[in-house]
Amino acid sequence: MRIVCITCGVELRCVKSGEASIEGASFGPYKLWHSDRYGCPQCGFEVLAGFSQERIAEHYEPDFGETVKRFNPEVTFFGSLKERQAYAEKSAKRAALRIEERS
Ligand SMILES: [Zn+2]
């Protein structure tokens, strides 16, 4: 698989292989994945690519929280912008509730 930065006209290189990431849904963390991180040596643009066929773990599994902690993923991504926005809105509402509870 070749990935090219069209802005810089250069092939991305693998920065980290086997990086764990979280696929989020509107309700929160959904699946834990393995993929590789590629970066452009010129502009620093980065992508996750080369995902494993099977997820490492999924939210309904009893040890999901522990598995996520163990892999300590840096990136959370969403299948669509709509899902990402729904997640952000719910997170903002939860944060607002916490502030209300404290005051
Ligand atoms: Zn670039």
Side-chain angles (χ1 to χ4, degrees), residues 5 7-8 10 40 42-45:
C5 178
T7 303
C8 305
V10 66
C40 174
Q42 177 68 24
C43 71
F45 173 72

Side-chain angles (χ1 to χ4, degrees), residues 55-71:
R55 85 283 184 287
I56 301 167
E58 200 163 338
H59 68 97
Y60 62 80
E61 295 170 340
D63 57 347
F64 182 68
E66 283 303 310
T67 307
V68 168
K69 254 186 222 167
R70 188 157 41 87
F71 280 88

Side-chain angles (χ1 to χ4, degrees), residues 70-85:
R70 188 157 41 87
F71 280 88
N72 195 22
E74 199 180 302
V75 177
T76 297
F77 68 94
F78 296 84
S80 72
L81 206 51
K82 198 176 166 185
E83 274 184 308
R84 186 177 168 215
Q85 286 162 344

Side-chain angles (χ1 to χ4, degrees), residues 37-49:
R37 183 189 289 238
Y38 288 82
C40 174
Q42 177 68 24
C43 71
F45 173 72
E46 289 188 325
V47 296
L48 292 177

